[in-house]
Amino acid sequence: MDDPGRTATSDRDMRLEELEERIGQLEERRGTVERSRSAMTTLVPGETRRHLRAAGREQLLAVRSLLDYWIGRLRDEPERPDRTRENIKIE
């Protein structure tokens, strides 16, 4: 027979190994991001980076204004009553 205590321990051990692996992957990714940022700083002049950041901000503001417009339209739209079926008796 399987020992429930032993199964729970092995499940925890497997979960711990999975978490440690994921942490390792995240640490590797962080190094990649830092190297990319360093390369961007080296290759792209500061003024260009500022323009790119401002352009990205403007794009986000454009999306926000579009969402605000449609949210406002939904708010102003009168609620439609639920359509119910009507039985018509035919003789």
Side-chain angles (χ1 to χ4, degrees), residues 52-86:
L52 291 170
R53 192 175 307 118
R57 181 177 183 276
E58 288 299 324
Q59 288 177 340
L60 290 172
L61 288 171
V63 170
R64 178 196 281 176
S65 70
L66 181 64
L67 291 172
D68 288 343
Y69 170 79
W70 285 105
I71 289 170
R73 285 203 49 183
L74 289 173
R75 235 186 249 145
D76 297 340
E77 187 176 290
E79 286 191 34
R80 297 179 187 163
D82 291 336
R83 294 182 180 185
T84 58
R85 294 184 181 192
E86 182 180 338

Side-chain angles (χ1 to χ4, degrees), residues 11-65:
D11 287 345
R12 273 186 254 142
D13 289 343
M14 286 177 33
R15 180 75 178 137
L16 184 59
E17 287 177 21
E18 289 174 8
L19 290 172
E20 288 174 347
E21 183 178 333
R22 289 176 65 190
I23 288 171
Q25 291 171 352
L26 288 171
E27 288 174 346
E28 288 175 16
R29 191 180 308 165
R30 185 182 314 149
T32 303
V33 169
E34 289 172 4
R35 285 191 301 276
S36 298
R37 187 171 288 140
S38 174
M40 181 73 140
T41 302
T42 303
L43 297 173
V44 180
E47 184 178 354
T48 304
R49 287 194 313 271
R50 281 190 295 279
H51 283 297
L52 291 170
R53 192 175 307 118
R57 181 177 183 276
E58 288 299 324
Q59 288 177 340
L60 290 172
L61 288 171
V63 170
R64 178 196 281 176
S65 70

